[in-house]
Amino acid sequence: MRPLAILGGTFDPIHHGHLRAAWEAAEALDAEVRMVPARTPPHRPPPVADAAGRVALLRAALSGQHRLSIDTRELEREGPSYTVDTLASLRDEMGPERPLVLLVGMDAFAGLASWHRWRDLFALAHVGVLTRPGADQALSGPLADFVADRHAAHVQGPAGSVIGIAITPLDIAATAIRETFAAGREPRFLLPSACFEDETLLAPYRALASV
């Protein structure tokens, strides 16, 4: 069965780095990829834009293509957006056989042992690690031991493996985009042009200039 992969984040705001990584993962895995905006990220300050605003930006950014889609289940669930709960919800819907892949960057993967119920992630899904050419981050501690025999070149079975996915390095950060807005400048060409077509979509970020 065709894998389902998810890429979570605050997407505050969505930018080409997020989108290109999701697109290349979709091609590498021949997978359906869903972007999953977080409601209340447990490890960072609240987003600048509210949930409805971030979803509207995502919809604009994803217009005109059908490989990537939006999944709003974390926004509809109360409390912190724990990834293990999202994967469990997806697994309940899709059944035990279809491959499920959690997409994470290399930095996030190296810190996976700090996540809520992190070992349970592997019972629910594979972990697809988005890697950049030349980047190699050594793992240590319980995570290194836990994944030592889980590395695989391809998706096989419904869950349990660590799969490296090479992506094009785009050095774009949502933090830098927010700082650009706060300085009264426009971060054109870091976000899809569709995000600029409706003035209301970026209003929360432009308002940072008056803070």
Side-chain angles (χ1 to χ4, degrees), residues 109-121:
F109 180 61
L112 201 69
S114 66
W115 290 27
H116 181 61
R117 292 173 51 200
W118 66 274
R119 290 179 177 85
D120 292 344
L121 300 174

Side-chain angles (χ1 to χ4, degrees), residues 105-170:
M106 187 66 227
D107 289 346
F109 180 61
L112 201 69
S114 66
W115 290 27
H116 181 61
R117 292 173 51 200
W118 66 274
R119 290 179 177 85
D120 292 344
L121 300 174
F122 293 88
L124 297 164
H126 302 289
V127 177
V129 183
L130 305 172
T131 61
R132 303 183 176 208
D136 185 17
Q137 189 164 5
L139 302 177
S140 61
L143 178 63
D145 295 336
F146 190 82
V147 304
D149 59 352
R150 293 178 178 270
H151 295 276
H154 307 287
V155 172
Q156 294 181 323
S161 298
V162 176
I163 302 159
I165 304 168
I167 61 168
T168 303
L170 297 179

Side-chain angles (χ1 to χ4, degrees), residues 36-81:
V36 184
R39 176 188 178 95
T40 308
H43 300 303
R44 55 152 288 169
V48 169
D50 63 16
R54 288 182 287 129
V55 168
L57 269 174
L58 261 173
R59 292 198 190 285
L62 296 179
S63 62
Q65 59 79 48
H66 302 286
R67 186 180 287 273
L68 311 179
S69 61
I70 305 171
D71 189 314
T72 60
R73 72 186 60 228
E74 290 191 0
L75 301 177
E76 297 157 5
R77 190 172 65 229
E78 296 293 332
S81 299

Side-chain angles (χ1 to χ4, degrees), residues 7 10-23 35 68 174:
L7 180 64
T10 51
F11 306 124
D12 188 37
I14 186 71
H15 57 67
H16 285 306
H18 299 132
L19 296 166
R20 187 62 201 172
W23 187 268
M35 315 288 283
L68 311 179

Side-chain angles (χ1 to χ4, degrees), residues 1-6 29-34 69 71 73 90-91 93-94 98-103 125-126:
M1 289 180 282
R2 191 176 183 217
L4 169 64
I6 65 166
L29 301 173
D30 188 24
E32 172 193 355
V33 174
R34 298 183 191 176
S69 61
D71 189 314
R73 72 186 60 228
L90 285 163
R91 182 55 73 194
E93 288 180 10
M94 60 196 285
R98 185 180 181 186
L100 179 59
V101 184
L102 171 65
L103 301 174
H126 302 289

